[in-house]
Amino acid sequence: MNKNSKIYIAGHRGMVGSAVWRALKADGYTNLIGKTSSELDLRDQIAVTQFITSEQPEVIIDAAARVGGILANSDYPYQFLMENLQIQNNLIDAAHKQEVKKFIFLGSSCIYPKFATQPLKEEYLLTDTLEPTNEWYAIAKITGVKACEAIRKQYNKDFVSLMPTNLYGSFDNFDLKTSHVLPAMLRKFHEAKAQGNTPVTLWGSGTPMREFLYVDDMAESVVFAVNNVLPEHLYNVGTGKDITIKELAETIQNVVGHEGEIIWDSEKPDGTPRKLMDVSKLKEAGWHYKTELLQGIEQTYAWFLKHQAELKQVKLSK
Ligand SMILES: NC(=O)C1=CN([C@@H]2O[C@H](COP(=O)(O)OP(=O)(O)OC[C@H]3O[C@@H](n4cnc5c(N)ncnc54)[C@H](OP(=O)(O)O)[C@@H]3O)[C@@H](O)[C@H]2O)C=CC1
Ligand SMILES: C[C@H]1O[C@H](OP(=O)(O)OP(=O)(O)OC[C@H]2O[C@@H](n3cnc4c(=O)[nH]c(N)nc43)[C@H](O)[C@@H]2O)[C@@H](O)[C@@H](O)C1=O
């Protein structure tokens, strides 16, 4: 792609979108555009069509979505299904009709069956049933993958889907009801330490396993997909390594310096037992992660400490 190509990043203020913006700038791209959800509601088909028709971007990166952790996904099934379908359908169809050269769709590792063989290969898609806590979101994301695959197959266009594992990093959501586990733990241990090492309550049994990718590495994979025409429609993005939620808790407790008790709330769901990605396909194509988990957690905690005052206003209660 030419470094002057106009690239629209949908969701450019979110954790992933903002990291993609920084990474594209660092790679020399000069013509980036973005709109906040209050400027352009991507659920509005007419507004999206008008925007894409008037801006004529060469590339669209879809990092806009209704996103949340295990509890938000199970409490708001309709919003996680419908808003994601609306956002991605509007963007994909407008991109197709306006002859956008490249479209990058971001899904999630939860598209794969709950009890699929590990590590998860791209071809396991639609081979069994989904994890119930996030099947609504997963079905929307599977539809996005299939829409891009159909456009690719029927019209031979460069529409590609990247499936990130669980992500974390700067500009994450630290709201305790809607966040993912890693930012929730950082905040819980931090606040408990400040209150004199009070106990920290975490969710589920601590036995599920998760894989975590630092968001700036994720953004690098998007830049890689902008710079290269990938031969297939679907690629997993992750580290290929996972840990138990209990191990994650102990690691974060050490980074934060909390010394109190950890209580596991068995009333809260565990979700899928394991979702380790097979990341060999994107590695063979030429992309590999850089940031190890401990380093990424330390960097994210440093970011959290620096931005606490702003977070209080915007992201501690979404
Ligand atoms: N976080 C994670 O662990 C993972 C994320 N992903 C995927 O990565 C992508 C980005 O996620 P992430 O950055 O974490 O999410 P965030 O919640 O941080 O950002 C989502 C962005 O989407 C925008 N958005 C949401 N609804 C609308 C709407 N109706 N109209 C316009 N914009 C909207 C928001 O815009 P605004 O800020 O202007 O309101 C926001 O910037 C998503 O596709 C997600 O599914 C995949 C796997 C894991
Ligand atoms: C990215 C991915 O994210 C979601 O799936 P998830 O991985 O299950 O989500 P999670 O990060 O919220 O939890 C991971 C594990 O951690 C445990 N856990 C402990 N203590 C806390 C806690 O305090 N908060 C949270 N949120 N979880 C906790 C929790 O019980 C679970 O066992 C889906 O949105 C899905 O759609 C998706 O794509």
Side-chain angles (χ1 to χ4, degrees):
M1 204 51 63
N2 187 307
K3 299 288 180 189
N4 298 319
S5 298
K6 189 186 271 191
I7 304 180
Y8 166 45
I9 305 170
H12 74 298
R13 277 203 320 188
M15 176 174 71
V16 176
S18 58
V20 169
W21 187 289
R22 294 191 299 274
L24 284 169
K25 279 267 175 214
D27 202 52
Y29 285 93
T30 54
N31 197 359
L32 307 181
I33 57 169
K35 288 270 177 203
T36 65
S37 56
S38 41
E39 290 164 345
L40 174 64
D41 185 344
L42 294 169
R43 295 168 300 181
D44 179 342
Q45 187 185 12
I46 294 168
V48 173
T49 304
Q50 279 169 352
F51 174 71
I52 303 298
T53 309
S54 76
E55 288 290 342
Q56 297 283 323
E58 276 182 62
V59 180
I60 296 181
I61 297 160
D62 180 5
R66 164 71 84 129
V67 181
I70 190 164
L71 214 57
N73 267 269
S74 47
D75 286 351
Y76 300 100
Y78 185 68
Q79 280 75 17
F80 275 83
L81 177 72
M82 190 53 67
E83 290 185 19
N84 285 318
L85 283 172
Q86 288 170 332
I87 291 170
Q88 69 202 34
N89 284 353
N90 292 340
L91 285 172
I92 292 169
D93 196 46
H96 169 52
K97 289 188 176 133
Q98 290 305 313
E99 301 296 345
V100 167
K101 282 193 190 142
K102 187 188 281 278
F103 190 96
I104 300 173
F105 176 67
L106 301 186
S108 161
S109 59
C110 70
I111 62 165
Y112 295 111
K114 175 168 184 166
F115 296 115
T117 307
Q118 309 283 319
L120 300 162
K121 290 183 189 293
E122 288 83 350
E123 61 258 35
Y124 297 167
L125 186 64
L126 292 173
T127 54
D128 206 344
T129 50
L130 298 162
E131 153 61 30
T133 52
N134 56 36
E135 65 179 330
W136 324 93
Y137 173 78
I139 286 170
K141 293 291 188 182
I142 292 169
T143 306
V145 170
K146 285 290 166 190
C148 292
E149 185 185 7
I151 289 176
R152 204 177 165 97
K153 184 175 148 97
Q154 192 177 338
Y155 301 98
N156 199 25
K157 289 186 181 175
D158 186 7
F159 280 45
V160 68
S161 297
L162 300 180
M163 290 311 105
T165 187
N166 291 38
L167 304 170
Y168 69 99
S170 48
F171 296 97
D172 209 337
N173 169 21
F174 290 88
D175 171 75
L176 294 179
K177 288 195 211 81
T178 59
S179 69
H180 291 99
V181 60
L182 199 151
M185 282 185 181
L186 276 174
R187 181 175 169 189
K188 284 180 178 180
F189 282 116
H190 173 79
E191 290 180 353
K193 182 187 167 192
Q195 287 154 15
N197 290 311
T198 52
V200 164
T201 301
L202 299 175
W203 299 352
S205 63
T207 59
M209 300 190 78
R210 292 291 183 273
E211 175 183 357
F212 296 94
L213 179 69
Y214 191 54
V215 72
D216 291 273
D217 287 358
M218 177 63 215
E220 292 293 337
S221 77
V222 175
V223 174
F224 180 77
V226 170
N227 289 340
N228 296 280
V229 177
L230 295 170
E232 294 188 42
H233 78 97
L234 173 61
Y235 291 87
N236 292 339
V237 191
T239 63
K241 294 190 262 187
D242 62 357
I243 61 168
T244 64
I245 293 300
K246 189 162 182 281
E247 287 166 331
L248 178 74
E250 287 160 1
T251 306
I252 294 181
Q253 187 178 35
N254 278 334
V255 168
V256 172
H258 171 265
E259 285 171 356
E261 189 192 355
I262 299 176
I263 298 163
W264 294 94
D265 175 2
S266 59
E267 298 294 309
K268 294 285 193 307
D270 266 344
T272 201
R274 197 178 185 197
K275 46 177 176 173
L276 177 67
M277 297 280 227
D278 183 328
V279 290
S280 54
K281 230 163 77 165
L282 198 57
K283 195 175 176 191
E284 277 157 29
W287 178 86
H288 192 242
Y289 83 98
K290 289 186 195 136
T291 313
E292 295 300 342
L293 182 58
L294 179 59
Q295 183 195 349
I297 291 172
E298 286 168 348
Q299 287 171 195
T300 307
Y301 186 46
W303 187 91
F304 173 85
L305 291 175
K306 197 169 164 200
H307 292 86
Q308 267 183 97
E310 306 147 48
L311 285 169
K312 278 202 179 83
Q313 288 153 21
V314 290
K315 285 210 165 176
L316 290 184
S317 56
K318 250 194 161 183

